[in-house]
Every structure is written in structure tokens, then in C-alpha cells.
Amino acid sequence: MTRKLVALVAGALLVLTLTGCMSTEEQSVVGQINALRASVGQPALMPDGELVAKAQAHSQDMAAQNQLFHTTLRDGVTGNPHRMGENVAYAGSVDQAFQALLNSPPHYANMTDPTFNRVGVGIYVAPDGRVWVTMDFAQR
């Protein structure tokens, strides 16, 4: 097996492992982000386990405090990513939250930023039905 093929297989296994810790809705949002990126000529983002865990915890924290706020970007992230960004939203559904972020120029810029290559998405549905969404982006 060539090195390139081994790297490709290892990358595919990593993505399968990471998607195992994301909900179906979180995987769907990553797919929507990557479809958006493809539409503007940017490469797909790879799910990142640390970013997924960070985003999931943050969505739960926002719901618990019933308040929208950002994290300190590098908290909970090992290594030294070159750049990071974060989108946060709440709405009545995942689709409504995604649309709100899509319609916001700074949030759209994070989703389409050509320097980002990793993403973590966390979605939490509060008991009142409100959907809290966090997207963490990084360049590694």
C-alpha cells in the first residue's frame, strides 16, 4: 500500500471515529457547512474531536445559563492552532439557528474562511425546546 493510500484510509477512519461522537444533527450541520464551503470554492472542513467536545459542552453551558456567549477560543484545545473562530446561536430549531448564522456576515465569514480546516459542532436542545448551537473552527 502506498503512503498516500495509507494516509487516506487513516483519515477516513478518523472521520468515522469522530462522527461517532457527534449526533446526527451535528453531522448534518457539518455537512451544511461543507456544502456552503464547496459552493464558494473552499475545501471541506474535517471534524476535530477536541472542537466537537468543546462545542458540545459550550452549547450545554449556554442553555444552563440561558444566555448566548462565546468561549475563550483556546480553552480545551491542545497544540497551538494558527487561527480559531466561533459561531454561537439559539433558535427554535437547528435549521433556524443555521440560517441566522448564514445571514450574519461575521458568522458566514467563519463558515467560509479559507484558512480554517477543522470544525466542531455542538447542539443542545433545552427542556423548553430552545436549540443552542456552537460551531468552533480552527486552522491546524
Side-chain angles (χ1 to χ4, degrees):
M1 213 182 280
T2 67
R3 286 182 190 201
K4 187 174 182 179
L5 182 58
V6 169
L8 185 62
V9 169
L13 290 173
L14 177 62
V15 169
L16 287 173
T17 301
L18 289 174
T19 56
C21 64
M22 289 192 297
S23 71
T24 302
E25 288 179 316
E26 290 164 344
Q27 291 175 42
S28 177
V29 169
V30 170
Q32 289 177 285
I33 294 168
N34 282 334
L36 170 64
R37 290 176 65 84
S39 75
V40 296
Q42 298 303 330
L45 299 173
M46 178 180 280
D48 180 292
E50 284 184 336
L51 297 178
V52 169
K54 177 180 174 64
Q56 289 171 337
H58 187 62
S59 290
Q60 289 181 7
D61 288 345
M62 290 188 299
Q65 296 181 42
N66 198 32
Q67 181 178 335
L68 199 63
F69 59 95
H70 286 280
T71 65
T72 301
L73 288 175
R74 295 186 190 279
D75 282 358
V77 178
T78 60
N80 190 20
H82 298 287
R83 293 190 64 239
M84 292 188 71
E86 184 173 71
N87 291 351
V88 295
Y90 68 86
S93 71
V94 174
D95 288 337
Q96 289 172 346
F98 187 83
Q99 192 61 48
L101 293 169
L102 195 60
N103 292 336
S104 165
H107 297 105
Y108 178 90
N110 274 342
M111 289 188 281
T112 59
D113 187 314
T115 63
F116 291 140
N117 57 9
R118 300 286 189 269
V119 67
V121 172
I123 297 171
Y124 181 77
V125 180
D128 67 0
R130 186 178 289 182
V131 178
W132 298 84
V133 177
T134 303
M135 301 172 178
D136 285 314
F137 303 93
Q139 177 188 15
R140 290 196 192 246

